[in-house]
Amino acid sequence: MKIGRNDPCPCGSGAKVKRCCGVDGVRRSHEALTDLFQLAAYFPRQRPACETFDAWAADAPPDVLTRDLVEEGLFQLGPAERARIPAEFADTYPEIWASLLDDAGDAAAATQMLLVGAVVAGLEERHRELDLLTLAILELDLEAREDPVESLAFALNPDDLWSAIEVENATESLDRGFPVAKVADSLWSEWHEQRLAELVRRVRGRLPVAEFPAASSGIEAACSAFERDRRVRTRLRAETLLDALPPVDDPLRLVA
């Protein structure tokens, strides 16, 4: 939306834009609020992580996003999650957070926009079905189905595990010649360990898919292997990071 100098300033002061925040200030504020809304899509730690939200999201209507639904989701977060989501990002990336707040011009509105985006991203993640193209590939590819790491890497969305900054840091490390397995190990944390286990449980909960019996069986076996074999979990962390990376000119640099 184009903002005119003589329009009422969206900050709510009642003054015209030219006598208040100015066109550039309003534009920066809109861009910052957009970034805050999208933050949880690129930083999975900023998505809801509480049982009350999970239980509510399971019964929420899929593909119907309304203001009332988002308000319900914000309520289901509870005070602890509403505090954790912005505070955790601010502690981890203080300069980015300070810049977003400064550009937004209103800390309360900025925090609210982040939480709204977290609810939306959380709903999308929990309602996302297994990708049909992925299932079709696994249905035909016996070799991939028999490798639990390959099967799970096909079924998982790496953006649910790795943040945009982690991917950026990994790309820089790979450009310096470090193998992907070592890079993944250096970024790994207890949060990643628990998060990956939760994502695998969700994949398992979506099985079987009737149209793809062989793929479903392969992923089910992979989930079991993940639970009992640490080597599978270790390999999967590197595989998901590899899938999260942007395309590279020289794939040989990724070889350990």
Side-chain angles (χ1 to χ4, degrees):
M1 180 180 68
K2 188 174 181 180
I3 303 166
R5 295 174 67 249
N6 291 312
D7 291 337
C9 190
C11 75
S13 66
K16 294 181 179 180
V17 166
K18 65 183 179 182
R19 300 191 183 279
C20 191
C21 296
V23 173
D24 288 341
V26 171
R27 185 181 297 115
R28 284 196 306 273
S29 177
H30 280 195
E31 290 173 351
L33 291 173
T34 298
D35 289 342
L36 285 157
F37 175 78
Q38 296 175 340
L39 199 69
Y42 297 101
F43 292 84
R45 286 179 188 258
Q46 271 51 68
R47 299 178 198 175
C50 60
E51 293 181 359
T52 55
F53 184 89
D54 286 345
W56 170 80
D59 294 329
D63 304 322
V64 179
L65 193 62
T66 64
R67 181 185 294 273
D68 287 343
L69 187 67
V70 172
E71 289 292 336
E72 288 180 23
L74 289 169
F75 177 78
Q76 295 299 328
L77 288 179
E81 273 297 272
R82 288 197 294 271
R84 177 196 67 81
I85 290 170
E88 192 173 71
F89 187 86
D91 288 343
T92 307
Y93 307 108
E95 293 182 1
I96 297 176
W97 181 247
S99 177
L100 287 169
L101 292 186
D102 184 57
D103 287 344
D106 184 330
T111 300
Q112 182 71 2
M113 187 61 74
L114 169 59
L115 293 174
V116 167
V119 168
V120 172
L123 281 170
E124 189 278 330
E125 177 189 303
R126 286 159 177 78
H127 287 167
R128 190 189 311 129
E129 299 293 335
L130 294 175
D131 183 70
L132 296 181
L133 177 58
T134 291
L135 292 170
I137 292 172
L138 283 176
E139 192 74 14
L140 299 173
D141 192 337
L142 175 62
E143 184 176 354
R145 282 203 314 272
E146 291 183 339
D147 183 342
V149 174
E150 284 291 327
S151 293
L152 284 173
F154 267 109
L156 293 167
N157 184 335
D159 295 334
D160 291 338
L161 182 65
W162 299 103
S163 74
I165 288 183
E166 287 170 338
V167 171
E168 181 180 347
N169 291 339
T171 302
E172 293 175 357
S173 295
L174 291 168
D175 286 339
R176 294 197 298 270
F178 292 97
V180 67
K182 289 186 177 180
V183 174
D185 288 347
S186 70
L187 294 171
W188 202 250
S189 68
E190 182 63 27
W191 178 88
H192 290 91
E193 191 78 22
Q194 295 175 359
R195 174 71 168 170
L196 182 57
E198 175 62 23
L199 294 173
V200 171
R201 283 194 293 270
R202 288 185 191 165
V203 166
R204 195 169 206 164
R206 295 183 175 102
L207 298 172
V209 180
E211 299 90 338
F212 303 98
S216 296
S217 178
I219 297 172
E220 177 71 36
C223 292
S224 296
F226 175 87
E227 291 177 354
R228 68 174 182 267
D229 191 341
R230 174 163 288 278
R231 292 172 298 178
V232 172
R233 298 195 291 273
T234 300
R235 285 180 56 210
L236 188 58
R237 67 176 66 167
E239 194 70 23
T240 55
L241 180 59
L242 184 61
D243 288 344
L245 296 173
V248 295
D249 295 329
D250 181 11
L252 293 179
R253 75 181 189 182
L254 303 178
V255 178

